[in-house]
Amino acid sequence: MMHNQASLQETKQHGAVRFPFNLYPCTIPGDFPQVALHWQESMELVFVKRGAGLVQVGAASCPAYQGDIFIFTPGTLHALRQAEGQHMEYENIIFELELLGGAEDLCAEKYLLPLQSGRLLLPARLTPNDLCYLQAAACLREVEEANRAKLPGYELLVKGALLRFLSLLIAQGKQQLPAETADTQRLKAVLQWISVHYAEGLRVADAAGVCSFSSSHFMRWFRQMTGQSFVAFLNEYRLNAAAEALHATDETVLTIASRCGFENLSYFNRAFKAHFGMTPREYRKK
C-alpha cells in the first residue's frame, strides 16, 4: 500500500534518507478504493495518466482528468477518490523540499523554506489549458524516465527537473491554494484526534468536543469539510487501518478487527468486503 493510513498525518519515509524522493504508479480503485484525507510535511504531485477521478484539496473537491497535475504543498489536506464508474491511473511523486537544496542559499530562503512553512502558495492544479502546462508536464516525464532508467547521474536529473517544475509554477503567480484557515486547523485537530482514538467507541459528541462545536453543528460542518458524515469517515478510516494491518502484520483477522474498533467480526467482514471488494483473508493473500 502506498499510504500508511494509521495516522492522518502521513509520516512514512519516501525514498532513501539522503535522497528523499519516490515515485509510485497507482490506480483507483485497482490498488485501493481511495486515498483518505490526510496531509504530510513533504511535497506531493499527482500526474493523472489515464481515466478520471475526484481530488479533494482542503475542503474543495474537483474532478480529475487525464493529463491533470495536482500539487499538494507541505501541510495541505488532500484526498483522492473514485469517480462513479471510473478508474484513474496516476503517477504519485513524493519528495522532501530539502532534496532540492537547503544550504541557506538564496533559493532556499526565497522559495523552499516559504513553501515548507506555507508562506509561498502554488496553484493546486495544472490542466492542459494552462500556459506552462506543456513545459511542466515535460519536467515530470523527465523525472519519471530518469527514475525508471536510473543511469549514473539520474539523481541530478530528478533534482533539476523538479526545480524547473517549481520555477514554472512560481512564475505563474496563481495563488489558488487557500492559506491555512481556522476551519482547516480545526479539521486537522479532529483528524489527528481520530488517528489516536479510532479504536475506541467514539461518539459524534466526542469529536464535536475537539473543536468546541455542538453535535448538530459539528455534523454539518464535518460533512461540508470532508464530503462525508463523521460516522462514514470514521468507519472508512478504521477499514483502511485494518487493511494496512492485514498487509503489514501476521495478526489474526479477529485481533485486527478488534484493534481497529470493530467489536463484531461478522460486521467487520461485511463492511470490509463492501469497501475493498474482497474479504479480509482474500485481501491479505493478494
Side-chain angles (χ1 to χ4, degrees), residues 10-276:
E10 185 182 297
T11 55
K12 180 178 177 181
Q13 172 70 44
H14 294 281
V17 173
R18 295 177 66 195
F19 192 68
F21 160 88
N22 221 324
L23 188 153
Y24 307 91
C26 303
T27 306
I28 290 177
D31 292 323
F32 24 74
Q34 67 162 23
V35 177
L37 195 65
H38 70 288
W39 79 97
Q40 70 261 346
E41 293 301 327
S42 47
M43 282 283 296
E44 180 173 349
L45 309 175
V46 167
F47 190 1
V48 182
K49 293 307 184 79
R50 290 186 186 81
L54 297 170
V55 173
Q56 179 176 341
V57 184
S61 291
C62 67
Y65 300 110
Q66 181 173 326
D68 286 356
I69 299 168
F70 290 86
I71 301 100
F72 307 130
T73 51
T76 301
L77 283 162
H78 58 282
L80 289 83
R81 298 190 177 90
Q82 182 183 16
E84 190 171 350
Q86 299 281 339
H87 80 283
M88 180 170 73
E89 296 177 28
Y90 62 95
E91 294 281 8
N92 193 202
I93 299 170
I94 299 180
F95 60 96
E96 303 291 339
L97 281 165
E98 67 188 40
L99 171 76
L100 305 185
E104 298 185 11
D105 64 359
L106 184 66
C107 292
E109 181 186 321
K110 283 184 72 173
Y111 308 114
L112 301 180
L113 293 174
L115 268 176
Q116 188 68 53
S117 63
R119 290 177 287 122
L120 176 61
L121 307 177
L122 298 177
R125 180 190 192 192
L126 285 181
T127 74
N129 295 324
D130 286 303
L131 285 175
C132 73
Y133 177 82
L134 288 177
Q135 289 173 283
C139 289
L140 297 191
R141 291 193 186 97
E142 190 175 324
V143 167
E144 292 166 358
E145 176 57 27
N147 185 68
R148 185 193 65 76
K150 287 189 170 59
L151 298 173
Y154 87 94
E155 299 94 340
L156 295 170
L157 271 175
V158 167
K159 287 177 70 164
L162 289 174
L163 283 165
R164 293 202 312 279
F165 179 82
L166 286 181
S167 75
L168 290 165
L169 294 180
I170 290 167
Q172 293 301 293
K174 291 182 182 175
Q175 299 197 343
Q176 296 174 344
L177 193 62
E180 185 93 332
T181 65
D183 275 331
T184 56
Q185 287 174 346
R186 282 192 197 98
L187 184 57
K188 282 186 176 181
V190 172
L191 298 182
Q192 198 61 42
W193 176 81
I194 289 171
S195 75
V196 174
H197 299 285
Y198 70 92
E200 303 167 18
L202 304 184
R203 301 170 303 152
V204 170
D206 300 325
V210 174
C211 41
S212 302
F213 286 162
S214 68
S215 293
S216 57
H217 178 65
F218 174 81
M219 287 190 290
R220 288 193 300 273
W221 171 83
F222 192 87
R223 184 180 286 277
Q224 183 182 355
M225 292 296 291
T226 67
Q228 291 178 285
S229 72
F230 172 73
V231 171
F233 184 94
L234 176 61
N235 202 48
E236 205 164 72
Y237 184 86
R238 287 168 166 166
L239 288 169
N240 286 334
E244 182 67 25
L246 286 164
H247 173 72
T249 76
D250 294 323
E251 292 176 330
T252 66
V253 173
L254 177 62
T255 300
I256 288 170
S258 176
R259 192 160 60 76
C260 292
F262 294 96
E263 295 178 7
N264 184 300
L265 182 59
S266 61
Y267 171 76
F268 169 69
N269 285 326
R270 286 197 308 274
F272 193 96
K273 185 166 186 178
H275 188 59
F276 289 101

